[in-house]
Amino acid sequence: MNIRMASRVLLVARGTDRPSSSGTEGQRPRPAGVGLGCLLTGSSGAVGSVLTRWRRGSTVPRGLEETRRARPPPPFPARAGRDRRGRSLSAPPGSAAGGGEPPAVRAMAGRNPGTELELGWISKVHVNRPAVVRHAERIKKWRTVKGNWQAAWLLKAVTCIDLTTLSGDDTPSNVQRLCFKAKHPIREDLLKALDMHDKGITVGAVCVYPARVVDAVNALKAAGCNIPVASVAAGFPSGQTPLETKLAEIKLAVEYGAREIDIVISRSLVLSGQWEGLYEEIRQCREACGEAHMKTILATGELGSLANVYKASMIAMMAGSDFIKTSTGKEVENATFPVGVVMMRAIREFYWQTGNKVGFKPAGGIRTAKEAITWLMLVKEELGVEWLTPELFRLGASTLLEDIEKQIFYHVTGSYALQHDLAMA
């Protein structure tokens, strides 16, 4: 696709409906180190060397060359006060807003301090839905990996999973089983066949209801691992509870030992345009979380439009959210790739404005290994390899791990797993 055509792919704009189509401005250089060879070099480094070992003496699988080829993402449209590359016209060249090198990746403990409410950031937002859908579909078609490369991507996906059980019939016994699976997500002999058995591969977190937090904390402590426990709160999944009740539930979950809190916003505040009220609600939830990291669930399937998704994302990050999350998993429409594109564009805009990195978590309806790889590819394309760590990217899923393990079983053995071959998740 030539530059003239690429310049017309409008995803999210502020203050303009049409980007300029002349010249070569708008091409944002691809961040350093986006080849698949550094895909698995996350903060833990647990699966960092597998691709290097597999690459030596091997040929690139068919269809992978397009994945490895440098391909600039769609350009950013011009908007008031900023040039075509998204740089502030008044900021110094060396700053993040002025187009300088982005600051180093912040550790999870660094948190997002948030900002004052800036309604000017969302006042003139327009989302070209057909362009967003085309871009998301294009990513899905570009990205096809097979063989050893696919196994490497899948192992990366495992480390980013929030292994979840949010059922009304949850008991201490099935939470304990879930925690065991969290520590041993892939069968030991399969990891040995890949020479990955000593890399400490675990899931990103275990996610449960507040009433089951103590069970999860005790089970993980007995297993001798430091996997964080995440708890949903703040009126999950509907959000239709008084703010005082939401804050009390958050504090109780933290007191029980939850290190991450997944709150849910009041969708009515978005649909009625009460952005100040939404900001204040999320800000108070952030304060109630204390040292626990806060993921804000937007329930995008109930927000009415992609423009509302973008605005709610920006408000949540201004209010101090450490992650923004697509869905509760209980809506009719959950995580979709177009919604993911819009939310990631909001994350990137917030990063350029403030220098603070915010994580992204798609959740709901992610059941297959192929979908997990597509999400990883989309994050890599939109935000860069630096976001492909458990500190900045999570996959909310309850059944995804089972399919990933089946795919790895097939890769190692050449045959499909029977029902009794894999431990229950």
Side-chain angles (χ1 to χ4, degrees):
M1 183 168 62
N2 60 37
I3 299 301
R4 185 177 181 85
M5 292 175 63
S7 67
R8 303 195 67 80
V9 181
L10 175 62
L11 296 184
V12 178
R14 294 197 299 137
T16 180
D17 287 340
R18 288 184 179 274
S20 171
S21 59
S22 61
T24 59
E25 289 186 323
Q27 291 188 79
R28 181 169 179 248
R30 180 175 287 275
V34 297
L36 285 179
C38 31
L39 166 67
L40 298 182
T41 53
S43 60
S44 63
V47 283
S49 59
V50 61
L51 285 177
T52 303
R53 290 198 298 271
W54 282 339
R55 185 189 296 167
R56 291 171 185 156
S58 63
T59 59
V60 178
R62 187 176 179 182
L64 189 61
E65 282 301 328
E66 189 167 6
T67 301
R68 299 179 63 184
R69 187 180 303 129
R71 180 188 292 261
F76 294 96
R79 48 196 180 276
R82 301 179 77 83
D83 67 10
R84 292 279 301 158
R85 296 177 184 234
R87 299 175 298 191
S88 172
L89 297 178
S90 58
S95 67
E101 286 298 315
V105 177
R106 295 172 182 265
M108 241 340 221
R111 309 295 301 275
N112 169 31
T115 67
E116 297 295 326
L117 180 62
E118 294 284 353
L119 292 180
W121 293 3
I122 64 171
S123 60
K124 296 181 180 179
V125 170
H126 168 75
V127 178
N128 185 336
R129 185 181 183 90
V132 171
V133 173
R134 285 196 303 271
H135 180 59
E137 290 298 320
R138 190 179 302 116
I139 295 290
K140 291 167 63 177
K141 292 178 181 178
W142 283 350
R143 308 313 189 189
T144 301
V145 288
K146 299 293 184 183
N148 293 336
W149 294 94
Q150 183 185 48
W153 281 97
L154 291 178
L155 288 177
K156 184 61 178 179
V158 168
T159 66
C160 296
I161 290 177
D162 277 3
L163 196 57
T164 304
T165 179
L166 296 172
S167 302
D169 57 355
D170 284 341
T171 62
S173 60
N174 73 310
V175 171
Q176 290 169 7
R177 186 178 69 220
L178 190 79
C179 292
F180 178 84
K181 189 64 177 177
K183 184 181 180 183
H184 307 281
I186 306 296
R187 224 171 66 177
E188 189 73 10
D189 60 322
L190 300 178
L191 291 177
K192 285 183 178 179
L194 299 173
D195 194 22
M196 298 299 297
H197 59 286
D198 58 347
K199 299 301 186 292
I201 295 177
T202 66
V203 301
V206 172
C207 185
V208 294
Y209 277 116
R212 301 269 74 90
V213 168
V214 173
D215 298 328
V217 170
N218 292 338
L220 292 170
K221 186 180 297 183
C225 61
N226 195 36
I227 299 173
V229 175
S231 173
V232 295
F236 180 92
S238 68
Q240 297 285 4
T241 55
L243 180 57
E244 294 78 9
T245 305
K246 293 182 179 182
L247 300 179
E249 187 178 29
I250 292 171
K251 293 176 182 178
L252 197 60
V254 174
E255 182 182 335
Y256 286 162
R259 289 157 55 186
E260 300 175 5
I261 303 294
D262 290 30
I263 70 164
V264 61
I265 66 171
S266 298
R267 276 76 100 189
S268 61
L269 296 177
V270 176
L271 296 173
S272 57
Q274 300 180 55
W275 305 116
E276 295 90 345
L278 180 64
Y279 174 87
E280 186 59 31
E281 177 181 277
I282 298 175
R283 195 69 180 173
Q284 291 190 42
C285 290
R286 167 71 154 76
E287 293 173 0
C289 287
E291 295 301 316
H293 289 78
M294 186 177 78
K295 308 189 195 89
T296 300
I297 306 172
L298 304 182
T300 56
E302 298 176 352
L303 296 187
S305 69
L306 291 179
N308 278 345
V309 170
Y310 183 88
K311 293 176 182 179
S313 299
M314 292 298 291
I315 295 295
M317 291 184 286
M318 291 180 203
S321 301
D322 298 299
F323 268 73
I324 53 175
K325 178 178 173 181
T326 59
S327 316
T328 65
K330 310 294 185 181
E331 297 97 50
V332 175
E333 182 180 281
N334 294 294
T336 64
F337 297 117
V339 162
V341 170
V342 172
M343 292 177 68
M344 283 183 248
R345 287 297 172 103
I347 289 173
R348 186 160 57 182
E349 172 71 13
F350 184 79
Y351 178 45
W352 278 356
Q353 293 280 3
T354 67
N356 298 319
K357 291 199 172 188
V358 175
F360 174 65
K361 178 180 175 181
I366 305 173
R367 298 183 176 88
T368 67
K370 182 178 180 181
E371 290 175 314
I373 290 178
T374 303
W375 277 111
L376 286 168
M377 296 288 191
L378 191 58
V379 170
K380 172 179 172 289
E381 187 73 18
E382 289 293 326
L383 298 174
V385 176
E386 292 177 335
W387 257 266
L388 290 180
T389 67
E391 289 77 19
L392 289 170
F393 177 66
R394 297 286 181 84
L395 288 162
S398 55
T399 60
L400 171 63
L401 183 58
E402 180 182 357
D403 190 63
I404 289 178
E405 193 172 16
K406 286 179 179 179
Q407 296 300 321
I408 293 178
F409 183 95
Y410 179 80
H411 173 74
V412 171
T413 67
S415 60
Y416 292 101
L418 301 177
Q419 188 171 1
H420 62 271
D421 286 328
L422 304 175
M424 296 176 63

